[in-house]
Amino acid sequence: MTGLRARHPFTLTFVHCLRRALLPVLGATGASALLRTATTTPLAGLETAPGAQTPWLHLPLVVAAFACAAAAATFWPLFAARRPGRDQVERLQRGPLRGCGAALAGALLAQLVLTLPLMTGFARLLGAPATAVAHVELPVPPQPLLTATQPRLSFALGDRVLDEVRLRPAAGPPTGPWQPTHVRVHVDGAPAAAAEVTFEQSLQLVRVPLPARPLHTLELEFVSGTVPLLFPRGAVVAVEAGTRSGLWNGVRAAWIYLLPSFVALALAMLFGAAATLPTVLTAAGGLLFVGTIGGAGPADDAVRSLLRGHEVLAGRTFSACIPSLAAGSLAMIVAMLLRRRLGR
Amino acid sequence: MTRRSLRNAAAAACMALAWVVAPPTPAVWRQLAGAFVRPALLPFTWAALAEAQRSGDDAEYFARARQLLDLMPTWTDGHAVFAYRLALDERRAAADPTGADAWRRLQTALAWLESARADAGRREVELLQTMAFLPEVACRQQPALAERLAAGGGAAALADRYLAQAERLRGSPEVREQRTFLAPKLAAGLLAAGERAQALGVLATAISRSAEVRDRQLATEWATRLDEVRRWLAGDTDVDLGAVYDDPRFEPLWPHLR
């Protein structure tokens, strides 16, 4: 029984990916730490910003993702058409995906094993805070414009206990002689501690401290000024009171970083029903590039949130995971149907 | 020996000779590596800077700006705009009645621009003029800073130090009066970064500095054009900007005056 498990495509691919990817990941981690020290020119007086360290964490993470995906695609013969040994394995291997799904899972597990220390340990070395705080983007009203003619905007706070709310509106061109816009902040009908705040430019960040009790509504009231303020999604962020474990935040970020690999390998598996290895590898590489370094999908957000000390799944990262999960799952289902059809 | 082998041998000999005659310095290697790395990294660095502005804090924004400028160390206009943004933060000025924070930010911004001088090349004089301009704009924004600087001779003395260096480099006393002509480019950079109040501060300082221009007619015309731009940016849309559009020195500002 133990021997059978050891020869399962999942176990075989997991071990193979770990062997192939371990050294490149270690090398990339060392290179990242060295490059960071060599290329960063510190300036006395500037505060440190862990959120700006994302390139140095991305480097070993991307190497782990690419190495595991390439190792899985080259290892399991059924990942691509016309591979040596493909016919024999196809006859022996059962299941609708002929072991490709298990190989994919093995590659993802290997990547998880490699990225966990990076997300928890290396991220801390780069300055990620030991604790995480939830930052929640508040849903915006249908017409989120605050002007003299539309002087009130209301946001639901959802009975949360909040530390502060962060306002970062986009400013429009002034409607008269330029005067900064003054906004009065009300929480549950009463004025907030920083009752009046001023905006004079686009994307100006203003923090409004809130009382430590469950809150229902936040209301912004236009007081004076000529700068119209637009509050699109993400312009009003609630910072929850209390902190969570930074270690657990790293674990969650590591799971999210698997999503680009999942999508890339699932689509590679789909293409591999008819395409040969170079095509499969190019497709997987391209998809991984777009999903990780390219910033499409949740991986980039997760790394940034981790380093900033924001809870990883609290913001837009969670909703960004759904399309990736759907795309990967759909690709696997289509691959299954296609392989069955081609097998007849 | 074939002709190809001879050519290869000659090429190798030339390479070796070039190495002996002019051995490459670390700076040359860095420049060469930068030429390959820069095009690959710049799109991501710009995107990260925009993301820091959209969802990060000030510290992250300036750290991203430093990363961007590490890739383009010779871009003096970029150094100037980011350093000005750091020194002239209106929001922090309001919560700083003693001027201590403004003084720290000014020192940091000047140190930033000082560090950029090494790579500025032929634009070093322009960078020094920009540095000379900064303390005066900062003092105009934050009167408490002016009081702090008064002990050392004030913003004018600080500016004078940089202008003296610029004069030495250029070998001409005209450097002093030329600094007012940098205002449109500097203000355009700040407007592009969404810093309208800071751009207005730069224009107001440049208008007062126009008095230094010895050609009185030129000084008056220049101050009038600057004032037209300042009034338009302050919301007075009745101002006739025809003369500003006819003057190519205001070209950097044209996109922001529509």
Side-chain angles (χ1 to χ4, degrees):
Chain A
M1 188 68 186
T2 314
L4 275 176
R5 273 188 196 150
R7 286 198 299 276
H8 193 271
F10 171 79
T11 323
L12 290 171
T13 315
F14 169 67
V15 173
H16 180 77
C17 288
L18 262 190
R19 274 195 195 141
R20 283 293 175 90
L22 183 62
L23 274 180
V25 171
L26 285 176
T29 310
S32 178
L34 279 175
L35 277 171
R36 176 176 171 251
T37 317
T39 59
T40 308
T41 42
L43 184 67
L46 273 189
E47 296 162 46
T48 53
Q53 304 296 318
T54 51
W56 311 118
L57 185 54
H58 263 304
L59 180 62
L61 290 172
V62 163
V63 168
F66 273 85
C68 287
T74 50
F75 175 69
W76 193 244
L78 295 171
F79 245 107
R82 296 201 283 281
R83 295 291 316 280
R86 182 186 163 107
D87 294 339
Q88 289 92 321
V89 177
E90 200 159 23
R91 276 197 297 276
L92 293 170
Q93 188 62 43
R94 289 166 184 273
L97 285 168
R98 300 279 195 240
C100 283
L104 182 150
L108 293 184
L109 183 65
Q111 189 188 329
L112 183 67
V113 169
L114 292 167
T115 51
L116 267 176
L118 296 172
M119 291 290 201
T120 50
F122 192 56
R124 288 277 292 132
L125 285 178
L126 294 175
T131 55
V133 179
H135 288 62
V136 184
E137 288 176 2
L138 298 182
V140 292
Q143 283 194 319
L145 192 65
L146 194 67
T147 59
T149 51
Q150 189 181 319
R152 277 178 186 273
L153 277 183
S154 196
F155 299 86
L157 294 175
D159 282 352
R160 293 188 186 92
V161 180
L162 301 173
D163 202 29
E164 63 178 23
V165 69
R166 294 182 182 179
L167 307 172
R168 198 193 308 252
T175 52
W178 183 75
Q179 292 291 327
T181 291
H182 297 270
V183 175
R184 198 167 289 142
V185 184
H186 300 275
V187 185
D188 290 343
E196 206 167 288
V197 291
T198 308
F199 295 96
E200 57 193 27
Q201 68 198 37
S202 216
L203 301 178
Q204 179 183 332
L205 173 66
V206 170
R207 296 161 196 250
V208 181
L210 296 176
R213 58 180 164 80
L215 300 168
H216 310 288
T217 53
L218 172 84
E219 198 172 49
L220 304 179
E221 182 194 354
F222 181 93
V223 179
S224 64
T226 55
V227 181
L229 301 174
L230 178 73
F231 290 83
R233 187 172 169 233
V236 184
V237 175
V239 181
E240 288 190 4
T243 56
R244 276 93 165 167
S245 157
L247 200 70
W248 180 231
N249 211 31
V251 173
R252 284 200 281 204
W255 275 99
I256 289 169
Y257 216 88
L258 297 181
L259 282 175
S261 303
F262 171 59
V263 176
L265 282 171
L267 282 164
M269 188 195 302
L270 172 63
F271 304 147
T276 52
L277 188 64
T279 312
V280 168
L281 284 177
T282 309
L287 288 162
L288 264 179
F289 181 84
V290 171
T292 53
I293 306 170
D300 194 35
D301 263 349
V303 168
R304 200 170 29 243
S305 297
L306 173 71
L307 287 170
R308 282 179 181 168
H310 298 183
E311 199 180 48
V312 166
L313 280 173
R316 58 187 161 176
T317 318
F318 181 71
S319 50
C321 290
I322 296 166
S324 298
L325 276 170
S329 307
L330 188 68
M332 284 183 75
I333 294 166
V334 176
M336 207 183 294
L337 297 172
L338 191 66
R339 277 166 195 267
R340 189 176 292 173
R341 194 181 173 88
L342 290 173
R344 277 181 195 156
Chain B
M1 206 178 224
T2 61
R3 189 174 283 186
R4 179 181 280 187
S5 320
L6 273 173
R7 270 205 303 263
N8 288 346
C14 284
M15 281 274 286
L17 207 63
W19 192 287
V20 171
V21 172
T25 58
V28 171
W29 286 117
R30 214 171 30 243
Q31 221 170 354
L32 190 69
F36 286 100
V37 168
R38 200 174 300 125
L41 295 185
L42 272 180
F44 304 111
T45 317
W46 274 114
L49 180 72
E51 184 59 42
Q53 189 172 24
R54 204 164 38 240
S55 64
D57 55 12
D58 281 352
E60 186 178 326
Y61 177 77
F62 288 115
R64 290 292 192 187
R66 296 278 299 168
Q67 286 173 355
L68 179 73
L69 292 168
D70 280 344
L71 289 172
M72 298 189 291
T74 57
W75 186 35
T76 48
D77 291 349
H79 284 289
V81 167
F82 288 119
Y84 267 61
R85 285 196 73 174
L86 174 65
L88 307 175
D89 192 336
E90 291 270 347
R91 290 152 279 163
R92 288 164 75 161
D96 176 31
T98 61
D101 186 47
W103 184 83
R104 191 189 57 77
R105 281 184 287 116
L106 176 66
Q107 297 302 322
T108 310
L110 288 173
W112 183 328
L113 293 173
E114 187 73 49
S115 69
R117 279 180 64 188
D119 297 299
R122 62 189 171 82
R123 302 191 71 182
E124 190 177 356
V125 170
E126 203 174 292
L127 194 66
L128 282 164
Q129 288 172 321
T130 310
M131 291 168 80
F133 211 59
L134 180 57
E136 292 187 48
V137 184
C139 286
R140 185 180 283 270
Q141 184 204 51
Q142 175 69 299
L145 176 66
E147 287 167 28
R148 269 182 180 264
L149 292 178
L158 202 56
D160 202 50
R161 214 172 66 202
Y162 295 116
L163 289 172
Q165 291 180 49
E167 270 178 10
R168 268 201 303 279
L169 284 171
R170 180 67 58 84
S172 155
E174 286 161 7
V175 165
R176 282 176 191 276
E177 60 182 77
Q178 278 171 357
R179 64 174 154 158
T180 181
F181 297 106
L182 285 175
K185 198 159 69 173
L186 201 51
L190 290 166
L191 285 169
E195 301 282 0
R196 185 178 287 257
Q198 294 179 8
L200 287 170
V202 165
L203 289 171
T205 312
I207 290 166
S208 64
R209 279 286 147 222
S210 300
E212 285 176 350
V213 180
R214 281 170 293 179
D215 182 338
R216 292 318 309 155
Q217 193 188 345
L218 174 64
T220 313
E221 276 177 20
W222 182 250
T224 309
R225 294 292 88 76
L226 285 174
D227 193 49
E228 285 166 1
V229 173
R230 188 193 60 77
R231 279 164 47 210
W232 197 94
L233 287 173
D236 183 359
T237 46
D238 295 334
V239 181
D240 179 13
L241 291 175
V244 173
Y245 282 120
D246 288 340
D247 191 337
R249 290 172 299 185
F250 284 92
E251 197 177 345
L253 279 169
W254 291 348
H256 306 286
L257 300 175
R258 286 174 187 142

